């Protein structure tokens, strides 16, 4: 009944890098989630910026659908630069 | 398109054998899920209960430098408990349910924390021996098959690296100090040595979970292998301190390239596991009390959050 | 002057140490894991400040037996501790912890803002470092004051009871002692008279935000700054000094 909801914590370890998921925690509200994230996940200077997101706000893909979601990309090699044959002596391309 | 369970299990095992991680939403055998909830939560409970014997000395540290180090260490243990509870929660159980299992005595935690800390040297011995033993287990677990557990362990191992050094430094200072300090260190080793060896669990022949755990890569080495590894690492460290491991049968076996050691008192081990150790009741009471006394606080924070949320909605509606 | 500066550093350091000690008692006993970690962080910040003040105090004191931060922390007589009575008050429940913390943090931040302008370079530097920590402490304790004050009926009553109990101890913080007067005149410490007004205004407004009443004024308890403490103090020292008193003259 008095369970604090779960939050996911994302941290930018230094400016120029993206926020990365580091873990989760419990907090009653966003302010507390932010403070808890600071106290729990940045005790060793791990971050310069924090995002907290209620876990229930995340929609995750279903592993059962992995086939139709991800496998169709497998044979699309033309999206990668190595697909295209060019002579080795060619420079800057 | 649902596959028969045997087929799913086969694919699951193949995935583990190939070294792939299992993630929360992946299909997994019910037993795998339950085993993980049990093991991860036991591990989490150990961190939380483990705060108490060391916490016992926070207000009595002999110097300010030791004070901040010990506070930071015990705080890390709270953090590690939190990471592990979070990992367990990905398996569909709540932290409150896990607490309930701990408080009712249904869930176990590492028996080592049912021993008392009687002197300052015990803080050194815990860091050196207990954390030393834990690290051996934990390093192995960074490669365990369940993704969230493995990631929590990576973080924990990174943070724990100072814990054992902190403990050994305390021991070293004592052993280089006065006669009474050296005695304090020896007395502490005498009391913590055998319980530390018991931390690796029963001998392989009697370990009920080992085989399945190896198959699922929850474990990569057996209890006896890990125990031997610990002894071989730790005995030379005791020698360096100039104190004596309390085992008359301990001696180097040239042929095997490892130490032979004396018989472990497994009666004592099972007594403590069953709840009859020197501090079992006290530790659980303390945890229960903290949780119960915190109930109105957690409830109030939630009520406040709901009030604020409603006020926000109201403002939007207007 | 040197002796006065030394005494002033004790006054600053002792408040942080005794409050840090009280918070450290809670490590492993917090109402949630997250809160446990947060309170320990505050305790660690305070002990960090203590070490800065006492290391400086050890430099200032040019005695023959070469004092150290630890001798200052652990080997004084009870009447030589200069902390205010507020920080000695026990952790009766979480509402007491929060009320005590808020009352101290609100004063502490105002004090550090002034000390950031201190003519004493070291104090100035310590204050500039500490102020960031204390801003966070005040945010933490104010937020919790509001949560508990405006949470459930039960938490409101508990929070109000703690505020009522501890309020008589807040007046000592901005009451000028002879040492503080001397420091003010030397440009090292602030004018507590000015600070006092701001302090009480802030207490009143934050309490109101937390739907709590500011208790009526009946007079304040004091004595800590001149070394006359509450009954709790001796027990704090018996823990704090235990190792140094039981095993004198050893390295740890």
């Amino acid at each position: 009944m008095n369970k604090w909801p779960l939050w996911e914590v994302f941290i930018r370890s230094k400016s120029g890098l993206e926020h990365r998921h580091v873990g989760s925690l419990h907090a009653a509200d966003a302010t507390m989630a932010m403070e808890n994230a600071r106290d729990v996940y940045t005790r060793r200077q791990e971050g310069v910026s924090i995002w907290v997101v209620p876990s229930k706000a995340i929609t995750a893909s279903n592993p059962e659908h992995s086939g139709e979601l991800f496998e169709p990309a497998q044979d699309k090699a033309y999206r990668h630069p190595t697909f295209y044959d060019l002579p080795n002596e060619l420079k800057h391309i | 398109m649902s596959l028969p369970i045997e087929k799913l299990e086969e694919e699951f095992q193949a995935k583990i054998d190939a070294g792939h991680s299992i993630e929360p939403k992946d299909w997994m055998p019910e037993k795998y899920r339950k085993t993980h909830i049990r093991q991860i939560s036991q591990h989490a409970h150990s961190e939380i209960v483990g705060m108490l014997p060391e916490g016992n000395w926070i207000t009595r540290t002999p110097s300010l430098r030791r004070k901040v180090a010990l506070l930071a260490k015990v705080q890390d243990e709270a953090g590690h408990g939190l990471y592990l509870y979070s990992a367990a929660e990905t398996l569909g159980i709540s932290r409150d349910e896990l607490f309930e299992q701990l408080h009712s005595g249904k869930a176990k935690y590492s028996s080592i924390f049912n021993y008392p800390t009687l002197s300052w040297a015990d803080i050194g011995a815990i860091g050196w021996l207990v954390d030393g033993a834990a690290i051996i287990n934990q390093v192995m677990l960074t490669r365990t098959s369940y993704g969230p557990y493995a990631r929590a362990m990576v973080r924990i191992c990174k943070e724990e690296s100072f814990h054992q050094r902190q403990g050994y430094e305390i021991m070293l200072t004592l052993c280089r100090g006065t006669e009474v300090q050296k005695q304090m260190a020896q007395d502490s080793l005498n009391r913590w040595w055998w319980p530390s060896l018991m931390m690796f669990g029963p001998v392989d022949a009697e370990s009920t979970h080992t085989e399945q755990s190896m198959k699922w890569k929850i474990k990569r080495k057996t209890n006896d292998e890990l125990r031997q590894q610990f002894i071989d690492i730790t005995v030379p460290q005791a020698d360096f301190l100039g104190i004596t491991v309390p085992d008359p049968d301990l001696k180097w076996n040239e042929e095997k390239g490892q130490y032979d050691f004396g018989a472990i008192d497994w009666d004592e081990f099972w007594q403590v596991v069953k709840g009859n150790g020197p501090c079992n009741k006290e530790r659980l009471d303390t945890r229960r009390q903290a949780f119960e006394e915190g109930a109105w606080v957690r409830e109030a924070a939630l009520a406040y959050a709901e009030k604020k949320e409603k006020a926000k909605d109201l403002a939007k509606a207007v | 002057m040197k002796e006065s500066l030394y005494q002033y550093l004790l006054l600053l350091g002792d408040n942080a140490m005794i409050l840090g000690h009280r918070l450290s008692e809670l490590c492993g006993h917090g109402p949630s894991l997250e809160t446990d970690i947060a309170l320990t962080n505050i305790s660690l910040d305070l002990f960090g400040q203590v070490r800065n003040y006492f290391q400086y105090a050890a430099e200032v004191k040019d005695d023959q037996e070469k004092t150290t931060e630890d001798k200052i922390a652990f080997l004084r007589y009870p009447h030589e501790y200069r902390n205010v009575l507020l920080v000695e008050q026990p952790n009766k429940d979480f509402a007491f912890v929060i009320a005590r913390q808020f009352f101290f943090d609100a004063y502490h931040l105002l004090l550090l803002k002034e000390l950031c302008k201190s003519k004493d370079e070291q104090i100035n530097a310590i204050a500039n470092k500490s102020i960031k920590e204390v801003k966070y402490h005040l945010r933490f304790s104010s937020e919790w004051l509001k949560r508990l004050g405006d949470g459930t009926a039960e938490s409101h009553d508990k929070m109000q009871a703690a505020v009522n109990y501890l309020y008589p101890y807040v007046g000592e913080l901005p009451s000028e002692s002879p040492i503080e007067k001397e420091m003010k005149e030397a440009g090292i410490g602030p004018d507590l008279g000015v600070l006092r007004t701001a302090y009480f205004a802030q207490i009143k407004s934050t309490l109101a935000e937390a739907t709590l009443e500011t208790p009526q004024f009946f007079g304040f308890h004091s004595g800590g700054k001149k070394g006359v403490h509450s009954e709790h103090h001796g027990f704090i020292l018996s823990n704090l000094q235990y190792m140094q008193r039981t095993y004198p003259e050893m390295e740890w």
Side-chain angles (χ1 to χ4, degrees):
Chain A
M1 195 180 68
N2 53 17
K3 270 176 229 139
W4 291 352
L6 199 62
W7 299 72
E8 300 302 321
V9 182
F10 298 81
I11 291 189
R12 184 200 297 286
S13 57
K14 60 179 185 191
S15 69
L17 295 180
E18 72 279 49
H19 285 77
R20 279 187 65 181
H21 183 243
V22 294
S24 47
L25 50 77
H26 289 270
D29 54 45
T31 311
M32 195 200 284
M34 182 56 79
E35 287 171 8
N36 289 349
R38 178 261 193 192
D39 285 322
V40 173
Y41 288 104
T42 66
R43 301 199 301 285
R44 290 175 168 80
Q45 299 172 287
E46 290 96 335
V48 296
S49 165
I50 302 174
W51 291 347
V52 287
V53 183
S55 306
K56 66 173 194 296
I58 291 178
T59 310
S61 62
N62 188 331
E64 273 179 37
H65 301 156
S66 291
E68 64 249 43
L69 286 176
F70 309 118
E71 277 171 33
Q74 274 174 13
D75 63 351
K76 313 286 194 292
Y78 45 78
R79 290 200 175 104
H80 300 279
T82 46
F83 179 75
Y84 302 94
D85 287 326
L86 293 180
N88 284 340
E89 52 273 33
L90 203 63
K91 299 284 178 224
H92 308 297
I93 185 159
Chain B
M1 193 197 68
S2 65
L3 295 164
I5 194 106
E6 296 79 24
K7 178 85 178 130
L8 283 168
E9 275 179 8
E10 214 174 278
E11 280 179 9
F12 177 82
Q13 190 60 49
K15 216 167 148 186
I16 290 183
D17 293 342
H20 294 304
S21 284
I22 306 300
E23 293 298 338
K25 295 191 86 182
D26 291 345
W27 184 88
M28 61 184 81
E30 190 51 21
K31 201 173 159 209
Y32 180 90
R33 197 180 73 86
K34 284 209 169 124
T35 303
H36 269 86
I37 290 179
R38 196 192 65 232
Q39 181 169 333
I40 300 172
S41 64
Q42 260 181 29
H43 198 158
H45 298 327
S46 301
E47 296 281 355
I48 301 310
V49 177
M51 295 171 75
L52 301 175
E54 288 176 284
N56 181 32
W57 281 87
I58 288 175
T59 59
R60 291 180 292 170
T61 56
S63 73
L64 290 172
R65 180 173 177 272
R66 296 286 181 215
K67 176 95 66 197
V68 290
L70 184 59
L71 257 176
K73 176 176 190 275
V74 180
Q75 183 195 40
D76 270 352
E77 282 152 16
H80 299 168
L82 193 152
Y83 306 156
L84 289 162
Y85 283 125
S86 299
E89 280 178 276
T90 61
L91 291 161
I93 189 164
S94 72
R95 197 195 287 177
D96 278 16
E97 286 172 274
L98 295 169
F99 277 155
E100 167 54 32
Q101 291 178 357
L102 172 69
H103 298 157
S104 68
K106 191 182 156 216
K108 301 282 174 227
Y109 54 87
S110 183
S111 277
I112 192 89
F113 302 118
N114 292 316
Y115 290 87
T117 49
L118 305 178
S119 74
W120 170 248
D122 288 1
I123 300 307
I126 288 183
W128 171 38
L129 301 173
V130 177
D131 287 303
I135 286 167
I136 288 182
N137 244 316
Q138 289 171 346
V139 166
M140 172 183 76
L141 287 169
T142 58
R143 295 181 298 134
T144 189
S145 63
Y146 188 56
Y149 192 23
R151 289 192 288 276
M153 289 322 305
V154 168
R155 209 181 168 86
I156 289 171
C157 284
K158 220 189 270 173
E159 296 189 353
E160 287 233 335
S161 52
F162 95 81
H163 292 187
Q164 200 192 8
R165 292 174 68 95
Q166 179 255 179
Y168 196 79
E169 195 196 79
I170 289 174
M171 295 303 275
L172 197 57
T173 311
L174 292 175
C175 292
R176 287 175 177 170
T178 61
E179 198 45 45
V180 68
Q181 284 174 302
K182 205 168 166 179
Q183 271 170 22
M184 195 191 280
Q186 179 66 59
D187 163 68
S188 188
L189 176 60
N190 293 349
R191 283 181 291 109
W192 290 92
W193 175 255
W194 292 106
S196 299
L197 297 191
M198 295 176 197
M199 280 177 74
F200 297 95
V203 292
D204 294 345
E206 280 169 40
S207 174
T208 43
H209 302 302
T210 296
E211 199 188 336
Q212 181 68 74
S213 296
M214 300 277 278
K215 209 171 138 206
W216 284 338
K217 299 191 182 169
I218 308 175
K219 255 190 168 166
R220 288 170 175 264
K221 285 181 184 171
T222 69
N223 294 353
D224 286 335
E225 284 170 340
L226 293 168
R227 187 166 15 245
Q228 186 69 51
Q229 189 184 334
F230 173 75
I231 293 171
D232 294 342
I233 292 173
T234 310
V235 173
Q237 293 169 351
D239 294 342
F240 187 83
L241 290 173
I243 48 181
T244 313
V245 173
D247 178 359
D249 298 324
L250 184 83
K251 59 173 185 294
W252 179 250
N253 184 324
E254 194 64 60
E255 200 181 316
K256 287 199 271 177
Q258 62 189 37
Y259 283 93
D260 291 333
F261 56 97
I264 293 172
D265 181 354
W266 292 109
D267 286 343
E268 177 183 320
F269 174 77
W270 289 113
Q271 278 301 321
V272 183
V273 170
K274 282 176 192 147
N276 301 320
C279 301
N280 294 58
K281 292 192 176 65
E282 199 182 323
R283 300 287 187 244
L284 272 190
D285 278 353
T286 307
R287 282 313 314 164
R288 258 186 235 126
Q289 197 188 342
F291 187 74
E292 282 162 15
E293 285 178 357
W296 69 270
V297 177
R298 297 190 299 274
E299 205 179 307
L302 211 51
Y304 178 79
E306 277 162 17
K307 262 188 215 176
K308 291 283 132 178
E309 204 55 41
K310 264 191 203 143
K312 231 200 284 171
D313 291 347
L314 210 62
K316 257 190 238 159
V318 175
Chain C
M1 180 61 204
K2 256 193 165 172
E3 179 56 24
S4 300
L5 179 60
Y6 175 73
Q7 290 295 334
Y8 188 57
L9 290 166
L10 295 187
L11 203 148
L12 295 170
D14 283 346
N15 278 340
M17 179 166 71
I18 303 300
L19 185 58
H21 178 93
R22 279 298 190 213
L23 291 172
S24 79
E25 293 173 346
L26 292 165
C27 185
H29 307 271
S32 78
L33 274 180
E34 286 83 354
T35 323
D36 205 305
I37 293 170
L39 290 173
T40 305
N41 262 352
I42 298 179
S43 179
L44 278 167
D45 284 344
L46 290 171
F47 276 112
Q49 295 170 17
V50 171
R51 296 189 70 189
N52 288 330
Y53 286 128
F54 287 176
Q55 282 166 9
Y56 181 34
E59 261 174 56
V60 168
K61 180 125 189 152
D62 59 302
D63 53 351
Q64 280 169 342
E65 64 262 37
K66 288 263 171 262
T67 196
T68 63
E69 57 167 354
D70 287 330
K71 281 186 189 162
I72 295 174
F74 302 112
L75 289 172
R76 275 177 288 153
Y77 293 114
H79 67 272
E80 293 172 320
Y81 286 81
R82 297 265 169 262
N83 62 280
V84 294
L85 303 182
L86 174 73
V87 295
E88 301 169 10
Q89 299 309 304
N91 305 322
K92 282 196 177 187
D93 66 17
F94 193 66
F96 272 75
V97 172
I98 292 302
R100 185 184 61 204
Q101 196 63 38
F102 167 71
F103 286 142
F104 184 74
D105 293 342
Y107 173 79
H108 200 188
L109 184 57
L110 290 168
L111 173 70
L112 288 175
K113 274 184 189 158
E114 294 304 315
L115 290 180
C116 283
K117 299 179 266 180
S118 174
K119 275 190 190 159
D120 184 287
E121 268 178 45
Q122 289 262 28
I123 291 183
N124 189 308
I126 297 172
N128 274 291
K129 183 176 172 293
S130 309
I131 196 164
K132 289 176 201 143
E133 297 167 344
V134 173
K135 272 183 192 162
Y136 187 79
H137 300 175
L138 180 61
R139 217 167 81 191
F140 177 87
S141 57
S142 309
E143 283 294 328
W144 270 106
L145 192 79
K146 285 183 246 170
R147 274 188 202 110
L148 299 180
D150 195 13
T152 60
E154 184 189 9
S155 73
H156 176 84
D157 291 349
K158 285 196 150 111
M159 201 60 244
Q160 186 68 58
V163 164
N164 292 351
Y165 188 96
L166 292 172
Y167 190 72
Y169 293 96
V170 302
E172 189 182 8
L173 282 159
S175 296
E176 191 176 77
S177 64
I179 296 287
E180 287 165 312
K181 182 166 183 279
E182 205 180 323
M183 290 299 115
K184 173 184 74 185
E185 282 156 7
I188 294 174
D191 184 343
L192 293 188
V194 177
L195 210 147
R196 185 186 185 89
T197 315
Y199 179 48
F200 280 105
Q202 188 178 353
I203 289 179
K204 210 169 171 189
S205 77
T206 311
L207 286 180
E209 250 189 282
T211 71
L212 296 164
E213 282 183 28
T214 304
Q216 280 186 309
F217 180 80
F218 290 116
F220 289 118
H221 303 309
S222 64
K225 286 183 183 179
K226 52 178 197 255
V228 183
H229 293 279
S230 67
E231 285 182 352
H232 306 295
H233 196 252
F235 293 99
I236 293 176
L237 292 192
S238 67
N239 267 309
L240 203 59
Q241 300 188 335
Y242 171 74
M243 287 299 291
Q244 291 280 349
R245 294 286 185 213
T246 312
Y247 306 94
E249 309 278 326
M250 297 182 201
E251 294 292 319
W252 301 96

